[in-house]
Amino acid sequence: MSLVETNHFTQTAERLNMTQPGVSQHIKKLEAQIGKPLLSRYGKKFELTVAGEHLYKYGLQQAQSELLAIVADDDINSGCCSLACSGSIAMKLYPKLLDLQQVFPKLSIHIEAAPNSTIIERVKTNLSDIGIITQQVNDPLFIQEQLGEDALCLVLPAQAESDWQGLLALGFINHPDGHHYASQLLEKNFPDRFTAMDQIPHSGYINQLSQILLPVSMGLGFTVIPKSSLNACPYPDRIQSAAIDTPIKETIYLITKKHRVLPRRYQLIKNLLSNQWH
C-alpha cells in the first residue's frame, strides 16, 4: 500500500525505515503467496496489475474497517481509564477503583500518583484523561468540578508533645505533598512561630505515602497528611492526630480538558468519585 501511494521504491523504503532491496523482497514474497504478479515494471517505474489493484483495494477496505471499529468502540464497561492524583488520594481511591474493575473486568485502571503541578501537566498533555487536585487551576483549557473536602491532620508519635518546641525536636517527615500540606496547617495554628518550612528540621522523606506513617510510628518525626490517608494507617495505637485550634480543610477538584470528549466509560469513574467526599 505504501508503494502504491508513493509510486516510488526509494520513498517507500524511507517511509517504512527499510532498505530498497527489502521492499522489493517483500513484494516478491507477496507475489509468491498470491501466485500472480502485482506490479508490471518498466524501467524504474511500474503499474499495478489487476491482482495488484485488487490487493490494494482490499488493504484500503481492511484499514477502513479496522479504523471504524476502533472509533465506534465506546463500550461504557470496558477500556483504559487513566487518572492522576496525589498519593494520599490514590490510597483512598485505588481500592474502590479495583472494586469497580472486579465488577467490570474489561476496565483497565491506570493511576499516576503525583503532586498538583504534575497532575495538571499530565491532563494538559493527554497523559492522563482526568486529574484530581487540591488547588484551583486558573486555565481556560480545563473544566474544574468540586468533589468535596478533606481535613489535614498533624500526625505525631503517640506519646509526643504537639507544641512548637515538640515539633522542632521531632523534625518533619516530608513526602511529595508534605510542604504544601504542612505550610497551610502550621501557618494557621502557629502564626507567631511558623515562617517557612525550611526553618523546621527535616528528619526524613519518602515518596510513597502509604509508608509515610511508619517513621512517625517509630518516633522519628511528625508529618501532615489528609484524614483519608490517616484512616488507612495500619498501626493507629502508635500515632496520634494532634488537636489543633484551627482546622484546615482542602477542597478536592476534578479536572478534565474542556474540548476533549472522554469515552463513556469515564462516567463510571466520575460517579464513583462523586460519592467519595460526601
Side-chain angles (χ1 to χ4, degrees):
M1 292 178 68
S2 294
L3 183 60
V4 173
E5 290 162 6
T6 63
N7 200 37
H8 200 283
F9 275 85
T10 301
Q11 291 180 15
T12 299
E14 291 173 351
R15 177 190 286 192
L16 302 178
N17 197 27
M18 298 170 60
T19 63
Q20 185 173 329
V23 174
S24 298
Q25 186 177 14
H26 274 284
I27 296 297
K28 289 179 181 178
K29 287 182 179 179
L30 272 174
E31 290 176 327
Q33 284 182 298
I34 292 174
K36 292 184 179 181
L38 299 174
L39 308 176
S40 177
R41 296 173 175 82
Y42 58 99
K44 293 185 177 181
K45 298 182 179 181
F46 65 86
E47 291 287 345
L48 289 178
T49 64
V50 174
E53 289 177 353
H54 285 317
L55 181 60
Y56 179 66
K57 289 178 182 178
Y58 175 78
L60 286 177
Q61 291 171 353
Q62 290 297 107
Q64 184 181 41
S65 176
E66 290 178 8
L67 177 61
L68 290 175
I70 291 170
V71 172
D73 183 20
D74 191 14
D75 186 349
I76 193 171
N77 298 330
S78 67
C80 174
C81 294
S82 65
L83 59 152
C85 59
S86 69
S88 60
I89 291 177
M91 287 175 62
K92 175 184 178 71
L93 291 182
Y94 194 46
K96 307 291 179 61
L97 290 168
L98 292 182
D99 288 341
L100 185 66
Q101 188 173 350
Q102 284 189 315
V103 177
F104 303 107
K106 292 185 178 180
L107 287 178
S108 176
I109 304 298
H110 294 230
I111 293 186
E112 183 74 22
N116 283 325
S117 58
T118 303
I119 294 168
I120 294 168
E121 186 62 24
R122 287 185 65 85
V123 176
K124 181 178 291 188
T125 56
N126 300 331
L127 291 175
S128 295
D129 287 327
I130 62 178
I132 303 170
I133 57 177
T134 54
Q135 64 184 46
Q136 285 189 308
V137 54
N138 298 315
D139 189 329
L141 184 67
F142 296 107
I143 296 173
Q144 183 171 262
E145 307 168 53
Q146 184 172 328
L147 290 174
E149 294 180 326
D150 202 354
L152 295 181
C153 298
L154 176 61
V155 188
L156 304 89
Q159 306 303 320
E161 298 293 331
S162 60
D163 60 7
W164 184 249
Q165 291 304 318
L167 296 182
L168 293 181
L170 280 171
F172 183 64
I173 304 292
N174 197 11
H175 54 87
D177 291 307
H179 284 189
H180 175 64
Y181 293 154
S183 58
Q184 295 179 74
L185 186 144
L186 297 177
E187 182 179 20
K188 294 295 184 181
N189 286 277
F190 299 93
D192 298 330
R193 299 294 189 92
F194 177 77
T195 56
M197 286 304 297
D198 59 8
Q199 78 173 109
I200 300 175
H202 284 47
S203 53
Y205 173 90
I206 184 167
N207 67 351
Q208 296 294 324
L209 202 65
S210 61
Q211 299 294 317
I212 186 64
L213 295 179
L214 178 59
V216 178
S217 72
M218 298 172 67
L220 299 175
F222 77 95
T223 195
V224 178
I225 59 173
K227 185 178 180 181
S228 56
S229 299
L230 180 63
N231 292 340
C233 178
Y235 16 74
D237 56 323
R238 289 151 55 186
I239 62 171
Q240 61 170 309
S241 178
I244 53 178
D245 295 332
T246 306
I248 303 296
K249 292 185 177 181
E250 280 205 314
T251 305
I252 312 297
Y253 299 96
L254 172 70
I255 60 169
T256 55
K257 286 181 76 172
K258 183 177 294 184
H259 301 294
R260 187 164 190 236
V261 179
L262 297 181
R264 291 192 304 150
R265 60 183 174 271
Y266 277 96
Q267 193 56 51
L268 290 172
I269 306 299
K270 288 185 175 181
N271 290 342
L272 184 150
L273 294 178
S274 66
N275 294 325
Q276 296 308 303
W277 285 276
H278 294 291

